[in-house]
Amino acid sequence: MDKIDRLREEIARREAELADLRSQLAEAEKLKSTGDGDGNGHIEGAWKWPLEEHDYQRYSRQMIVPNFGLQGQLHVKHARVLLVGAGGLGCPAAAYLAGAGVGTLGLVDGDAVEVSNLHRQVAHSTGRVGMMKVDSAVAYLKELNPTVRYNAHATHLTPQNAEDIVSQYDLVLDCTDHPTSRYLISDICVLLSKPLISASAFQTSGQLIVLNNPPGKGPCYRCVFPKPPPPESVVGCGEGGIIGPVVGAMGVLQALEAIKLIVRGDHLKARTGAEEQGERQVGMLLFSAMGDAPFRTVRMRGKRKGCFACAGDGSALTLNELKTSMDYVQFCGVNQPVKLLQPEERISVAEYERISREHKSHLLLDVREKEHFGVCNINGSINVPISRFTSHRGEGSDLSDLIPGDVPPDAPIYIVCRVGNDSQIAAKKLKDWGADRNGERFIGDILGGLKAWKDAVDPSLPFI
């Protein structure tokens, strides 16, 4: 494994060097196009066009599109765009913005590339596993377009560094996947008068909305979502899953919205102090990959009166407040571990491994959804998804859809899930519904779930 890691690091290093060489070549060709043909910059005849020769070659297909043209390309060339997140949304968005010729492209991300990212985060590669995502993405983007200036911010955006980073750009794309980040990004965009394009994707659906546009007049994220979702309802791709093209489609749409704003010159409004006449209609685009009509738009209200962030002079939010007092984790809440069972109602994976090895009569219920169960499971377990427990009628009703009829009435029931939360919920419900026969039958869960089982008992388990 050490040799494999060393080889991967060497490949990543050489890919980065190659990307830098291509960037230097592009700069040399750029000088040559305005010089005498020898690459030394000696001017034989003045170049009279507003873009350089290689720009016309590279961007001609978009420049001839109606309402884009030369002026649109000039706007794109001088635009400064920041992407917060270099993952499933950020990779395709960055690729299309770099391909379009955005002058400066910044990426913020504090994570490293993992193998599980690769099915959807298309800017990364197997050879760059372990590399910081921003560095991996820049290496990829330089291969695509070495004439763009790239800024890699290898850190997470925080209330303390947000002003320094975001102030360098004209337009921001929120490519993150958690409410804490979304509220922070929206707040700093309001404070610094930056338009914001926010997207999200989960399983087979996604949503997209343009916020704070025009700056100071369009609604912010808090206008649309005044309260964060309950922390227990926030499920990431690691648990809920994601189809690669779904998040890819949303990232591409983010890039498209950014290009639209840039070509119209909207990104320059805050920079120049230009006033926008009237408000644009705000809509949220909803995407359902498995629907008969995958796209639909929901009309949104404008700015919310009394909004904490963007209510104007009456706003409670300031740059100093954001840096010193805002706690976004506390505001969004923390999903606390489930604590429904007593210690004596939970057994360790080592204890269950002994029970199964001795072939003691019992029932093992795996309450993950069928897709998770189909990927991997403990030998002898029966799949009864947690959704069946939450939709069951309750006490006094037939439990045969949860407990097979051929199980002896005194056989203990052990319940397992991914990490030990849903298993407690299921065990508590069975006990509440009388399945423990007033304490005569043991009903409990396996502490730590499949993750603990993989760590301590069966490392070969392809746990996801």
Side-chain angles (χ1 to χ4, degrees), residues 96-107:
Y96 277 99
L97 290 171
V102 165
T104 301
L105 200 58
L107 296 100

Side-chain angles (χ1 to χ4, degrees), residues 115-403:
V115 172
S116 62
N117 301 148
L118 300 180
H119 87 285
R120 66 193 184 280
Q121 299 182 15
V122 294
H124 310 309
S125 66
T126 303
R128 294 199 290 271
V129 169
M131 192 175 183
M132 293 301 292
K133 284 186 178 181
V134 289
D135 296 328
S136 172
V138 168
Y140 167 83
L141 295 169
K142 283 183 176 178
E143 293 273 353
L144 176 65
N145 190 349
T147 69
V148 171
R149 177 186 175 190
Y150 300 102
N151 296 331
H153 305 278
T155 180
H156 295 293
L157 199 72
T158 68
Q160 288 69 43
N161 66 21
E163 181 184 8
D164 290 340
I165 293 175
V166 175
S167 62
Q168 303 174 45
Y169 301 91
D170 306 313
L171 173 66
V172 178
L173 275 65
D174 181 352
C175 304
T176 63
D177 62 356
H178 198 275
T180 55
S181 300
R182 294 188 187 125
Y183 282 101
L184 167 60
I185 295 166
S186 175
D187 287 351
I188 193 63
C189 285
V190 168
L191 291 169
L192 298 179
S193 298
K194 309 293 183 183
L196 171 63
I197 301 170
S198 180
S200 63
F202 180 67
Q203 294 183 340
T204 62
S205 62
Q207 63 183 37
L208 172 79
I209 189 169
V210 179
L211 300 166
N212 198 38
N213 185 56
K217 293 193 175 181
C220 72
Y221 194 80
R222 289 181 185 270
C223 293
V224 181
F225 302 103
K227 294 182 179 180
E232 64 273 10
S233 70
V234 179
V235 180
C237 295
E239 287 202 36
I242 182 70
I243 301 297
V246 174
V247 69
M250 302 314 298
V252 169
L253 289 171
Q254 279 185 286
L256 177 60
E257 288 297 326
I259 291 171
K260 283 165 56 179
L261 296 186
I262 292 167
V263 169
R264 286 199 307 246
D266 288 10
H267 68 300
L268 300 174
K269 296 287 196 307
R271 196 196 296 182
T272 62
E275 285 292 328
E276 176 78 15
Q277 298 300 317
E279 288 191 27
R280 293 200 182 101
Q281 180 63 54
V282 178
M284 178 181 287
L285 179 69
L286 302 178
F287 175 57
S288 176
M290 302 305 179
D292 294 333
F295 292 100
R296 65 188 179 96
T297 301
V298 178
R299 183 174 177 178
M300 308 299 295
R301 295 178 180 176
K303 291 185 62 166
R304 187 171 58 87
K305 186 177 180 181
C307 175
F308 172 82
C310 71
D313 294 338
S315 170
L317 183 65
T318 65
L319 282 171
N320 184 63
E321 169 103 0
L322 184 140
K323 286 183 178 180
T324 61
S325 304
M326 292 299 295
D327 187 335
Y328 291 90
V329 173
Q330 183 182 36
F331 172 67
C332 293
V334 179
N335 189 8
Q336 299 291 339
V338 174
K339 295 181 179 178
L340 295 178
L341 301 180
Q342 298 299 315
E344 62 271 16
E345 298 174 292
R346 314 191 74 188
I347 67 169
S348 68
V349 291
E351 187 177 352
Y352 179 76
E353 195 269 340
R354 179 184 57 79
I355 290 170
S356 62
R357 189 176 63 249
E358 294 175 356
H359 302 289
K360 292 184 177 180
S361 177
H362 70 280
L363 172 65
L364 176 61
L365 298 180
D366 187 325
V367 296
R368 296 172 300 151
E369 295 302 318
K370 63 179 182 179
E371 292 80 9
H372 288 253
F373 184 82
V375 172
C376 62
N377 54 74
I378 297 175
N379 186 39
S381 60
I382 295 174
N383 185 216
V384 183
I386 189 64
S387 53
R388 281 203 221 166
F389 287 86
T390 55
S391 63
H392 203 271
R393 289 192 300 272
E395 188 175 0
S397 59
D398 183 15
L399 299 178
S400 61
D401 59 331
L402 305 177
I403 303 174

Side-chain angles (χ1 to χ4, degrees), residues 373-448:
F373 184 82
V375 172
C376 62
N377 54 74
I378 297 175
N379 186 39
S381 60
I382 295 174
N383 185 216
V384 183
I386 189 64
S387 53
R388 281 203 221 166
F389 287 86
T390 55
S391 63
H392 203 271
R393 289 192 300 272
E395 188 175 0
S397 59
D398 183 15
L399 299 178
S400 61
D401 59 331
L402 305 177
I403 303 174
D406 59 350
V407 175
D410 59 346
I413 299 176
Y414 304 102
I415 304 175
V416 68
C417 67
R418 187 171 184 264
V419 293
N421 290 331
D422 287 345
S423 57
Q424 293 186 69
I425 296 172
K428 182 70 163 56
K429 286 184 176 293
L430 285 180
K431 292 166 76 73
D432 290 345
W433 296 334
D436 65 340
R437 302 171 62 207
N438 293 320
E440 295 181 13
R441 163 194 266 177
F442 176 85
I443 296 179
D445 83 323
I446 297 177
L447 189 66

